[in-house]
Amino acid sequence: MFKGLISLFASGVIFSPFVLLGIVSGGWCYFNLAPEGIRNLFFRNEFYVAIVSASIVYVLLFARVYERGGNSLDWVAMLLKMVSNVIKFIASFLLVMSFISLISIF
């Protein structure tokens, strides 16, 4: 388990803003919401709209990708980056809650 955590830090994946946001919000939801509230959160469209909106704003403001030559934006690469940010957030949100529940068993 500790080797897995060390590899997350060594690869730099854990320093992605959406992974960090997913870890923080997943921990907050685990400790402050009832299981029914967490379940309801995942069935609300506003939750996913907020994540997608944050991803779009982040990529357009801070993580632009330019085509070769730097004259125009590479919209396909930016779209893939937006989608990967959403997947990173949701995966880290779910995995941190399962990690905390696993640790709380012991």
Side-chain angles (χ1 to χ4, degrees), residues 37-80:
I38 295 171
R39 196 173 305 117
N40 290 337
L41 180 68
F42 276 100
F43 286 110
R44 294 184 61 131
N45 290 333
E46 294 87 5
F47 177 68
Y48 297 104
V49 169
I51 297 168
V52 170
S53 300
S55 178
I56 290 170
V57 168
Y58 176 76
V59 169
L60 289 177
L61 292 181
F62 302 112
R64 292 182 182 165
V65 179
Y66 290 95
E67 289 182 352
R68 188 171 286 209
N71 294 330
S72 62
L73 294 173
D74 189 358
W75 291 103
V76 174
M78 287 174 53
L79 179 67
L80 290 174

